[in-house]
Amino acid sequence: MFKPKLFDTLKDYDRQQLVKDLQAGLIVGLVALPLAIAFGIASGVAPEKGLFTAVIAGFVISALGGSRVQIGGPTGAFIVIVYGIVQTYGVGGLVIATFMAGVLLIGMGIARLGSVIKFIPYPLIVGFTSGIAVVIFSSQVKDLLGLHMGAVPADFPAKWKTYAHYFPTSNLYAALIAGGTIALILVWPKVSKRVPGSLVAVLLTTLLAYLLHLPVETVGSRFGKIQSSLPHPYIPSLDFHTIKTLIQPAITIALLGGIESLLSAVVADGMIGGNHRSNMELVAQGAANICSSIFGGIPATGAIARTATNVKNGGRTPIAGMTHAVTLLLILLFFGKWAALIPMATLAGVLVVVCYNMSEWRSFVSILKGPKYDIAILLTTFFLTVVVDLTTAIEIGMILAAFLFMRGMIRSSSVETMTDNVNSDDTGKIEVPKGVEVFEITGPLFFGAAYKFQDALRLADRHPRVLIVRLRKVPLMDATGIRVIKEVVQQSRRRGTRLILSEIHNAQILKDLTDARLVFAIGKANVTATLRDAIRRSHILLEQE
């Protein structure tokens, strides 16, 4: 469970696969180059920090991960939350929150929560992913149109109000470069699927802007000189006040990182027919985020698009992901300073394509045609992500999903009263003796549905001599359900009614009732395996009276 996939893949490793992995790693590294710079800038930090993250975290995720082909690094999903943290707590606060998130991810992996994270509702994931795409796009309009304005407001409505005000200051050259970048990225796969279109777009637009001296803002004009070497590692200092202040953003980073990485790993499994180790993947993601923060980077997770690129180009082992990180490191060391010439409009165009790809609009439309519960979760999460923030969206989305799920479970549960003939699984219909009443509970007997059983007993307003409660269709019983059974036992004693529990097929329910001393209170002879046994026992009890 906690063994990196790298160790497994090296057992039967050969030269042919090494060549494929090196080739795939090189291509993915070239794909990741403009994305890493764009994600760093869009997150509100220096462009080189995106590269630091792709190099350090990308290498660690591949080396220690539970997936054979996972490619890690900064992703678009983190832009919104990272930008918010930087605006509120500064870059120092982001580094500490990333470090804390890494520790939380390792803890989640050790606690074996990898399988639990997979159960997050799909409409919630689509909702916040689509919302993130909208927020990222709205943050790029300034560079997309070359608007002459100050800092972009954090509030979503304020952004568009400001854009409308400064729209007359648009730069035609910047708009053309951004439009050309988008068009080239979309069209280039028809020319070549080997060479990434985003890299071609960055190179061509940068050359045009440089050679023609176009009046557009570049990475260098906004951020100055690009650092072309890794910084010295630094472990952030933590104290109780800092942990208390940054625990919420750290939890959001950890949760989002876990969700994204495991989603990417599942997609990769479907492409290669593999099976990832979810808990080891969480540990690797945690270690990667800790290492990234130590080198001043930003949060990292599994990148679905880059992972798919890796698989499509022949990558089948973690060596490909490690090669991708080394490729980026070499580019940073030898060509990093030239990144300052890249037009901001070019990176905005790259991010627009990223927004479109991560918007999942087809899934969004599909869910809108589905059950109203899913629609409620989708739209709530989407609008909260856009208008409020991602942390609030995930929290309220999870609570809403839980309540709607419980509501569905309550509706699926029922209580049926039978006094004449009763269907039995093994012998067909069985006649119910006079003075005997049968109640059958269908569905989970938990805190949300237990009241139905109580109401059914109350509305019956009869005092049978023997009451049989069938539990064959009860898959779950919580503490509230046990308490209701206990109340039925007490009520039956007061009324002089003998109680029989029939067909407890779930071993855990029987154990819980035994631990609660209810089997003893009812009497072991009055807990029967079949309905026929319960009817037979009711005859004996009637004769005893």
Side-chain angles (χ1 to χ4, degrees):
M1 184 177 294
F2 295 105
K3 183 180 179 182
K5 279 285 187 177
L6 176 63
F7 298 154
D8 293 342
T9 57
L10 291 179
K11 292 179 181 178
D12 302 319
Y13 203 60
D14 55 29
R15 182 178 179 181
Q16 184 179 7
Q17 186 57 54
L18 174 62
V19 173
K20 291 182 179 179
D21 286 339
L22 292 177
Q23 179 180 337
L26 176 63
I27 293 173
V28 176
L30 296 176
V31 171
L33 175 63
L35 294 176
I37 296 173
F39 290 151
I41 293 174
S43 298
V45 298
E48 62 265 26
K49 291 189 179 296
L51 288 172
F52 298 160
T53 305
V55 171
I56 302 298
F59 189 90
V60 174
I61 288 172
S62 295
L64 301 181
S67 171
R68 296 169 62 96
V69 293
Q70 180 87 284
I71 301 296
T75 65
F78 273 127
I79 289 177
V80 177
I81 185 171
V82 171
Y83 184 83
I85 294 173
V86 171
Q87 296 300 309
T88 306
Y89 306 103
V91 176
L94 172 64
V95 170
I96 296 174
T98 305
F99 186 92
M100 292 169 58
V103 175
L104 290 174
L105 279 166
I106 291 176
M108 290 162 63
I110 294 175
R112 302 182 181 183
L113 297 180
S115 58
V116 176
I117 292 179
K118 297 177 185 177
F119 299 140
I120 292 176
Y122 182 63
L124 188 149
I125 295 174
V126 173
F128 76 68
T129 304
S130 300
I132 288 171
V134 171
V135 174
I136 295 173
F137 173 77
S138 67
S139 68
Q140 296 303 305
V141 174
K142 173 188 174 182
D143 294 329
L144 202 65
L145 301 177
L147 301 179
H148 293 282
M149 56 179 284
V152 177
D155 187 56
F156 184 78
K159 278 190 179 78
W160 289 97
K161 185 177 180 181
T162 306
Y163 292 150
H165 178 74
Y166 284 96
F167 183 76
T169 67
S170 300
N171 185 328
L172 179 61
Y173 295 105
L176 289 174
I177 287 176
T181 300
I182 296 170
L184 193 54
I185 293 175
L186 296 178
V187 173
W188 185 258
K190 297 180 180 179
V191 178
S192 172
K193 293 185 178 180
R194 288 283 186 181
V195 182
S198 57
L199 180 66
V200 174
V202 169
L203 292 176
L204 287 180
T205 55
T206 301
L207 282 172
L208 283 174
Y210 178 74
L211 296 176
L212 300 178
H213 302 287
L214 298 180
V216 293
E217 190 175 20
T218 64
V219 173
S221 64
R222 180 178 295 184
F223 297 97
K225 185 180 179 181
I226 302 297
Q227 184 177 339
S228 58
S229 62
L230 290 176
H232 296 292
Y234 171 74
I235 300 177
S237 59
L238 297 175
D239 54 51
F240 180 75
H241 175 72
T242 304
I243 293 174
K244 183 180 177 181
T245 302
L246 295 171
I247 187 63
Q248 187 175 17
I251 291 174
T252 305
I253 292 173
L255 185 60
L256 183 59
I259 294 171
E260 287 289 316
S261 65
L262 295 183
L263 279 176
S264 177
V266 169
V267 171
D269 285 347
M271 296 180 72
I272 65 173
N275 187 22
H276 74 280
R277 297 174 182 141
S278 57
N279 295 311
M280 187 64 234
E281 186 64 27
L282 289 180
V283 172
Q285 296 290 334
N289 278 280
I290 289 175
C291 294
S292 176
S293 64
I294 290 175
F295 283 90
I298 59 178
T301 185
I304 297 176
R306 276 162 275 171
T307 299
T309 302
N310 179 35
V311 173
K312 291 176 182 178
N313 284 279
R316 290 297 181 273
T317 76
I319 298 296
M322 296 161 70
T323 302
H324 131 270
V326 173
T327 300
L328 286 171
L329 176 61
L330 294 175
I331 293 174
L332 173 67
L333 295 176
F334 295 104
F335 304 102
K337 60 182 180 180
W338 299 106
L341 300 176
I342 300 174
M344 294 300 299
T346 297
L347 297 179
V350 171
L351 285 176
V352 167
V353 177
V354 170
C355 291
Y356 176 80
N357 291 333
M358 72 180 295
S359 65
E360 298 193 52
W361 64 270
R362 293 181 181 85
S363 298
F364 197 99
V365 173
S366 176
I367 294 173
L368 288 177
K369 299 176 182 178
K372 58 183 180 181
Y373 289 168
D374 291 342
I375 296 173
I377 296 169
L378 173 73
L379 295 180
T380 299
T381 310
F382 174 78
F383 284 117
L384 286 175
T385 301
V386 173
V387 178
V388 186
D389 59 62
L390 182 61
T391 303
T392 304
I394 293 177
E395 291 173 350
I396 295 181
M398 288 294 293
I399 294 172
L400 178 63
F403 272 113
L404 292 178
F405 174 76
M406 286 189 291
R407 186 180 180 187
M409 294 294 286
I410 292 170
R411 287 189 171 186
S412 69
S413 64
S414 62
V415 180
E416 185 179 0
T417 308
M418 291 159 280
T419 55
D420 298 322
N421 294 326
V422 182
N423 286 323
S424 176
D425 292 336
D426 51 355
T427 57
K429 288 191 175 183
I430 301 177
E431 184 178 351
V432 179
K434 187 177 181 180
V436 177
E437 194 164 309
V438 179
F439 276 77
E440 178 163 18
I441 304 174
T442 301
L445 191 61
F446 70 114
F447 65 91
Y451 75 92
K452 285 190 174 183
F453 183 41
Q454 292 175 309
D455 291 346
L457 287 173
R458 191 179 304 112
L459 292 173
D461 197 26
R462 292 186 292 267
H463 303 298
R465 294 163 65 188
V466 178
L467 175 62
I468 299 174
V469 180
R470 302 184 73 185
L471 299 174
R472 60 176 180 156
K473 296 180 180 179
V474 178
L476 171 71
M477 185 182 296
D478 68 354
T480 304
I482 293 173
R483 183 181 63 82
V484 169
I485 297 294
K486 187 178 294 184
E487 290 178 357
V488 172
V489 173
Q490 295 170 351
Q491 188 180 51
S492 299
R493 284 178 177 174
R494 288 195 301 268
R495 294 179 174 179
T497 300
R498 305 298 295 272
L499 180 65
I500 298 175
L501 297 183
S502 171
E503 302 158 280
I504 306 177
H505 296 328
N506 190 303
Q508 185 61 46
I509 293 178
L510 182 59
K511 180 180 182 300
D512 292 341
L513 292 173
T514 303
D515 293 342
R517 303 285 292 171
L518 285 175
V519 172
F520 175 78
I522 298 169
K524 287 186 178 180
N526 295 332
V527 179
T528 63
T530 65
L531 177 62
R532 180 164 293 279
D533 291 340
I535 297 295
R536 189 180 296 115
R537 178 62 182 169
S538 69
H539 282 294
I540 295 173
L541 294 176
L542 291 173
E543 291 173 0
Q544 287 178 354
E545 290 187 0

